[in-house]
Amino acid sequence: MNYMDIKRCDIANGTGVRTSLFVSGCTHHCKGCFNQDTWDFNAGKPFTQKEIDTIIELCKPDHIVGLTLLGGEPLEFVNQQGLLPLLEQFKSTYPDKTIWCYTGYDFEKDVLDKMYYQWDFTHKFLSYLDVLVDGEFVEEKKVLDLRFRGSTNQRILDVPKSLAAKKAVLWDEKGRYF
């Protein structure tokens, strides 16, 4: 897996101050995407244990409340596999910090009905996530002041509750991940 960028302090992609990882590779190619340079799976640099160690260290301060995965597309086949070691080490080191993930895939149609059963690592991958922002960016539904998303079709999901219910459960902004 390759990655494009690691942002030390990010306040736009989840609650609080977070560290964000932008992965390379995306097959959605959404019209109006703000990050088209991440579409190419070969763009950027290889994601290795060195980058995992860097992210773990960047998340050490108390003011960093968690990690956000975006890109590109974190739920692409190769990216899920590449991110699993990071997720495992992050949750082991910081069990109380949250992990947010952005995906262009639809939670029910693509993730639960396909990936969850076709790829044995998806179940484990999802088990580390607290919040998932799902749905492709749709330029015609773009609203500039939406919180933590770019278009009105995108949803902010509570992953543990969604997995338990086997359907999308919207994140409660006043809930435990705020």
Side-chain angles (χ1 to χ4, degrees):
M1 181 188 96
N2 280 4
Y3 78 102
M4 292 297 288
D5 195 16
I6 298 170
K7 291 199 182 282
R8 170 185 297 261
C9 292
D10 184 357
I11 58 169
N13 297 302
T15 55
V17 180
R18 317 180 67 74
T19 295
S20 293
L21 171 65
F22 291 79
V23 301
S24 298
C26 181
T27 58
H28 299 296
H29 298 186
C30 301
K31 178 183 167 192
C33 174
F34 81 99
N35 218 1
Q36 292 182 18
D37 58 336
T38 65
W39 290 358
D40 182 355
F41 285 88
N42 295 312
K45 299 174 257 181
F47 188 74
T48 68
Q49 185 61 47
K50 178 180 174 233
E51 284 73 29
I52 292 172
D53 294 341
T54 297
I55 290 169
I56 298 295
E57 185 63 28
L58 288 173
C59 292
K60 189 174 186 176
D62 289 339
H63 72 275
I64 302 293
V65 300
L67 172 67
T68 297
L69 308 172
L70 57 169
E73 174 56 74
L75 291 184
E76 294 286 3
F77 182 83
V78 67
N79 290 344
Q80 282 190 50
Q81 294 174 81
L83 288 168
L84 263 175
L86 168 64
L87 297 179
E88 292 167 348
Q89 291 173 51
F90 181 87
K91 275 300 187 181
S92 173
T93 307
Y94 306 116
D96 296 327
K97 294 190 181 204
T98 60
I99 299 176
W100 281 53
C101 182
Y102 283 76
T103 182
Y105 289 108
D106 177 272
F107 183 74
E108 291 98 347
K109 183 180 74 173
D110 300 315
V111 179
L112 283 185
D113 289 350
K114 294 179 184 167
M115 293 176 193
Y116 199 75
Y117 296 103
Q118 292 176 351
W119 305 336
D120 59 353
F121 46 82
T122 298
H123 181 271
K124 192 171 189 180
F125 185 95
L126 292 173
S127 74
Y128 291 112
L129 302 182
D130 297 294
V131 175
L132 181 72
V133 180
D134 83 329
E136 289 189 12
F137 170 75
V138 177
E139 190 171 45
E140 294 77 18
K141 296 182 179 187
K142 178 180 179 178
V143 176
L144 292 176
D145 62 353
L146 282 175
R147 190 146 185 204
F148 306 129
R149 53 204 170 109
S151 57
T152 58
N153 62 298
Q154 295 173 312
R155 304 176 296 179
I156 305 173
L157 306 177
D158 183 314
V159 176
K161 288 181 180 177
S162 296
L163 291 174
K166 294 185 171 66
K167 65 177 185 174
V169 176
L170 295 178
W171 170 68
D172 177 5
E173 191 169 338
K174 296 177 181 84
R176 65 185 183 142
Y177 303 125
F178 189 70

